[in-house]
Amino acid sequence: MYELSPSILAADFTCLGEQLAKLEAAGVRWVHLDVMDGMFVPSISFGMPVIASLRKQSKLFFDVHLMVEEPQRYIEAFRDCGADSLTVHAEACRHLDGTLRQIRAAGMRPAVALNPATPLCSLDHVLGLVDMVLLMTVNPGFGGQSFLPESLPKIRSLRKLLEETGRPVDIQVDGGINEETLPAVLEAGANIIVAGSAVFGEDIPGRVERLTGMMREHQGT
Ligand code: DX5
Ligand code: ZN
C-alpha cells in the first residue's frame, strides 16, 4: 500500500478546511498533522482543538505526528479529537513499549518515529507493537528543510529487516520530500510519503497528481 500524506504545516492556516477538501478532491486519503510542543522540538505548531475542528469537516485518515515530550500523557486526548494513527518519537518516550500498547488499546494505529541520528536498533523490542515506522529524513521541528541523503541506507536496512521478519509494517518518510527526492526514497523502500511544501501552494491538485503519479509508476515496476 502506497499513500501520500500531505503535511498541513505548509498549508494556508486561514482556510485549513478548504485545503483539506482540495486534498480529498484530488484523491488523497491521508493527511499528516504535525503537533509540536516547543520542548521536544523548538517550535510550537497546533494541537487538539485544531484537529477536532478539522475532524468535523473531513473524512481523511488523520496521521498525527507528535513531536512532544512524554506523549503518553495525551494518547486518549488525541483519540478523542479524531486521530486515526498516532506517531510518537522513540527519543521522547520514557516507556516506549507501554506508550505504543496504550495507543493500540485506545483504538488507533500505533507508530514510532526515529530522528535521523537515532539507530534502527531502537526498534528491536517494539517492532511487533507498531503498524508503521516513521524515519525522519530531516531533523524534526520545521517544514521546508532539505532532505538528508544519509537516510537512504537506513530506509533500505529497515525494508530488508521487515522483509526478513515478514512483519506488515509501513515505512513512512518525512522531511524534504519533493519530486526530486521522491524516487530515491521509494527505491529504498518507503511506502507512506509525507510532503508539506511540495504539496501546498499554487495548484494543489497538480502537485498531488505529479507525486502520486510517481508513486503509482514505482508500484507498477
Ligand atoms: C518536520 C515535520 C514535517 C514537515 C515536512 O518536523 O515533521 O512533517 O511538515 O515538511 P516538508 O515536506 O516541507 O519538509
Ligand atoms: Zn511530520
Side-chain angles (χ1 to χ4, degrees):
M1 174 195 75
Y2 284 78
E3 297 289 348
L4 177 66
S5 192
S7 161
I8 65 161
L9 212 52
D12 178 352
F13 277 58
T14 62
C15 54
L16 272 182
E18 287 166 30
Q19 305 247 293
L20 256 56
K22 279 190 185 163
L23 294 177
E24 235 172 307
V28 167
R29 287 188 292 244
W30 283 40
V31 64
H32 185 81
L33 303 162
D34 285 305
V35 178
M36 302 182 182
D37 68 349
M39 289 290 286
F40 181 69
V41 289
S43 193
I44 299 175
S45 56
F46 54 83
M48 296 84 160
V50 170
I51 298 176
S53 307
L54 293 174
R55 183 74 293 171
K56 289 190 199 128
Q57 290 203 7
S58 175
K59 293 200 163 45
L60 288 167
F61 182 88
F62 279 13
D63 160 31
V64 177
H65 176 194
L66 297 183
M67 284 160 275
V68 169
E69 283 294 339
E70 292 301 344
Q72 194 164 14
R73 297 173 291 160
Y74 301 113
I75 291 172
E76 285 73 22
F78 279 101
R79 189 262 325 273
D80 293 345
C81 70
D84 295 300
S85 170
L86 200 61
T87 302
V88 296
H89 271 262
E91 306 87 356
C93 298
R94 186 165 299 148
H95 302 290
L96 180 57
D97 146 334
T99 303
L100 294 167
R101 289 178 199 277
Q102 197 176 323
I103 294 172
R104 174 97 58 206
M108 294 171 286
R109 275 172 54 111
V112 60
L114 302 183
N115 283 338
T118 304
L120 285 182
C121 64
S122 319
L123 300 172
D124 278 359
H125 306 286
V126 294
L127 215 44
L129 302 176
V130 296
D131 287 349
M132 181 169 81
V133 175
L134 164 51
L135 296 180
M136 290 303 304
T137 44
V138 299
N139 280 291
F142 302 96
Q145 303 182 72
S146 297
F147 175 78
L148 295 170
E150 299 86 332
S151 37
L152 291 170
K154 194 174 176 186
I155 302 168
R156 251 179 243 121
S157 306
L158 179 58
R159 179 52 70 198
K160 187 160 172 271
L161 179 74
L162 292 172
E163 274 166 8
E164 281 164 8
T165 54
R167 288 190 193 283
V169 174
D170 292 312
I171 302 182
Q172 183 174 57
V173 285
D174 183 8
I177 310 292
N178 53 36
E179 287 171 44
E180 281 70 52
T181 54
L182 178 59
V185 294
L186 290 171
E187 202 53 55
N191 68 302
I192 309 278
I193 308 297
V194 176
S197 22
V199 167
F200 291 96
E202 287 301 311
D203 191 22
I204 292 175
R207 289 163 176 244
V208 165
E209 183 44 43
R210 284 195 294 280
L211 293 168
T212 52
M214 293 169 85
M215 291 164 69
R216 279 195 304 273
E217 201 174 301
H218 173 83
Q219 208 172 355
T221 58

